[in-house]
Amino acid sequence: MASFSVEEFVGNGVLKGLLPKLLEEGWDDVPTLKIMNSEDMNAINMTQEQKDALEIRAYLHERSLMQYGDKFESSGKSLPELLSLSSGDLSSQFGMKRGHIARFMDRTSACADTLPKSNAPPSTKLTSRPSRNNSIYKSYDFVSQKIQSRTKSIIRSNTSEKSLEQSLADFKIKDGYTFKGIVAAEPAESRCGCIKAPPIVDKVAPYSAIENISVQKLTPEYKVGVESLVKSKAPPMKASELWREKPAVLVCIRRPGCIMCRAEAHQLYAKKPIFDALGVQLIAVLHENIDSEVKDFWPRYWGGAVIFDRGMGFFKALGGGELLKEKFLSGFIFNPRAIANYRRAKAMGIKQNFKGEGEIKGGLFIMGNGKSGIAYQFIERNFGDWAPLAEVIEICTKLQVNLVDFSPLC
């Protein structure tokens, strides 16, 4: 899986010397760099060679093929010229492996972050009250105006260009979709033998259960040149300070070395320009602070801020006051859904390790700013379940126009 480190993204070619200028102009993280269009490039006087290099690297990043970036760039060929080469030429000139060639030549899609159809679960269970009439269409015009006012950039999709508005539209909830409500989880999967899926809560956590959780900041939001970790030990702070000014998506990570947790973090952070346009922060929550694990996780798989929840308050809130835990044997080996989640992450080319505690399940919260409450809560019922991106983006869109029924502030 391609790293979100800007230094690794630009490599050792013609873009490396451009880093100070990129930082000065606000192009300081990989998802933002990848939405540059020709107007943006001309504004900072990029040469044609630099434009070609950025196009090549954005294309490779989408396909987890960044190891070929320097070689492709030094060839002097543009992306269309590289795509016109035969498999034999790509192998002989650049040492590309057969599987990588197939991925490179596939212009129809980037690395998949969805389950294969054969493993796709049924519709997610409604665990709370259904929403009112779908409002994504009402709020989309508002968000489009906000996007236009914040950025003129264009998201690249393969060799063509696609507007940020269109990227958001790709996540619009389609007609006939049943919104899952404020508390969501994937359905319980049939297990082998007499093993039953553990129960989950069906009510949103009270705001009072999380506002005073003591957290510690481990990393800032990633930008070019920032320190990899907070230099001095950050003092504890109340969790409510995180979303006091701006809404926030908090991803509760079961274990940062877990292949499925890394995949979830990567696919969510890849949409950072959309969340930026919506004015929403992205924050990862860990229940263990293992320095080497944080360094491996950030910014390669996640470029948002990382916080440490020593008391596991967020994780307990997901379980209605108790930690949601499951053994590896029952939760993974005998769970077809978890195995499918693992295969999905494996197909994304993500590496893993087995350091740390991995039985405490995570999830996701979307917090409104100030004391407005919990807008959305997703529970990791099966190891590796993700909150659906379309749903997360819709809720964040609704936050802009106050269309979310928040949890009571009790």
Side-chain angles (χ1 to χ4, degrees), residues 163-179:
S163 69
L164 185 53
E165 296 97 311
Q166 181 60 46
S167 181
L168 179 58
D170 288 345
F171 291 98
K172 287 170 67 175
I173 305 300
K174 303 298 188 295
D175 290 338
Y177 180 90
T178 302
F179 186 67

Side-chain angles (χ1 to χ4, degrees), residues 18-127:
L18 194 63
L19 274 178
K21 184 66 174 178
L22 292 171
L23 176 59
E24 179 185 345
E25 296 295 328
W27 303 100
D28 46 15
D29 61 66
V30 172
T32 305
L33 270 174
K34 289 167 64 178
I35 67 170
M36 290 187 81
N37 65 3
S38 56
E39 183 181 349
D40 299 319
M41 296 178 196
N42 290 335
I44 59 173
N45 300 315
M46 288 178 67
T47 66
Q48 187 58 49
E49 188 180 12
Q50 289 169 333
K51 294 177 182 178
D52 288 343
L54 180 57
E55 184 176 31
I56 289 170
R57 291 181 180 277
Y59 186 88
L60 293 177
H61 192 272
E62 289 293 320
R63 288 156 180 77
S64 297
L65 296 171
M66 291 301 291
Q67 64 266 44
Y68 301 105
D70 288 344
K71 291 181 180 179
F72 280 1
E73 190 179 324
S74 63
S75 72
K77 293 181 170 63
S78 65
L79 181 58
E81 290 172 330
L82 290 166
L83 287 167
S84 69
L85 295 176
S86 67
S87 297
D89 288 338
L90 288 170
S91 177
S92 62
Q93 294 181 32
F94 303 105
M96 288 193 81
K97 298 178 181 180
R98 182 175 298 179
H100 292 172
I101 291 173
R103 197 188 305 166
F104 176 72
M105 299 301 289
D106 180 9
R107 309 186 196 192
T108 60
S109 63
C111 291
D113 58 8
T114 57
L115 285 171
K117 290 184 179 179
S118 60
N119 291 322
S123 299
T124 312
K125 180 183 178 181
L126 173 68
T127 58

Side-chain angles (χ1 to χ4, degrees), residues 292-304:
S292 61
E293 291 302 285
V294 177
K295 289 179 179 178
D296 285 347
F297 181 68
W298 184 96
R300 173 169 291 276
Y301 301 102
W302 176 262

